[in-house]
Every structure is written in structure tokens, then in C-alpha cells.
């Protein structure tokens, strides 16, 4: 199933553009999203957004839940 009708390609894969849109809509920097997702590679979010790396299933699922408002980042207080 597609996250946004106009943003999917290759079946159900989240596009780099959609990934970035979700992050920006959540009001998070790349560093904040990296920490929120529990990732350690500081370059990974940029690589997702540039299409160099395809997000794993769990990362895509969390981004979808964030996009749908099922998960929230409201607890984020101290920024980067």
C-alpha cells in the first residue's frame, strides 16, 4: 500500500521525497530523526533522502506511523 498516492514508485517502496516530507512535517532535523529512529550512522537519513539507500522495513513502517499521526515526536524537547 502506498503512503501517498503521488509519491510511490516501485510498488510499495517509500520514495526519498516522501521520506523527507514526513521528516520535515514532523519538524525534525536529520540528526533528530536519526536519534528518534535509534540509528547510529549520522549520514543515513541524508542517504535515505537522496535515494542512495532504501530504508529498511522497520524504518519505513515507523515513518508511515509518524506520517499517519499514530506515533508522535511531541516528547522531543532538547533538539539536536
Amino acid at each position: 500500500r502506498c503512503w501517498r498516492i503521488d509519491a510511490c514508485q516501485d510498488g510499495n517502496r517509500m520514495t526519498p521525497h516522501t521520506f523527507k516530507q514526513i521528516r520535515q512535517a514532523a519538524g525534525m532535523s536529520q540528526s533528530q530523526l536519526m536519534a528518534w529512529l535509534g540509528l547510529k550512522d549520522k549520514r543515513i537519513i541524508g542517504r535515505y533522502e537522496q535515494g542512495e539507500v532504501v530504508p529498511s522495513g522497520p524504518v519505513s513502517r515507523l515513518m508511515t506511523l509518524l506520517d499517519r499521526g499514530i506515533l508522535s515526536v511531541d516528547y522531543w524537547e532538547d533538539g539536536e
Side-chain angles (χ1 to χ4, degrees):
R1 209 164 161 173
C2 195
W3 291 267
R4 295 182 185 174
I5 292 172
D6 62 341
C8 281
Q9 62 187 18
D10 299 329
N12 294 334
R13 192 165 67 183
M14 181 178 293
T15 66
H17 179 72
T18 300
F19 190 95
K20 185 173 184 175
Q21 281 185 320
I22 295 169
R23 176 183 61 79
Q24 290 175 331
M28 299 176 84
S29 69
Q30 289 183 351
S31 296
Q32 289 170 324
L33 181 59
M34 179 199 72
W36 187 78
L37 291 170
L39 303 172
K40 301 204 184 306
D41 181 351
K42 295 184 180 195
R43 300 167 299 179
I44 194 67
I45 301 301
R47 294 179 73 199
Y48 289 157
E49 293 178 357
Q50 294 300 314
E52 296 172 13
V53 176
V54 175
S56 67
V59 168
S60 292
R61 185 74 49 107
L62 287 170
M63 293 300 285
T64 300
L65 295 173
L66 181 62
D67 186 40
R68 292 180 180 170
I70 296 169
L71 293 179
S72 172
V73 295
D74 291 340
Y75 67 87
W76 201 273
E77 297 175 5
D78 63 344
E80 299 180 279

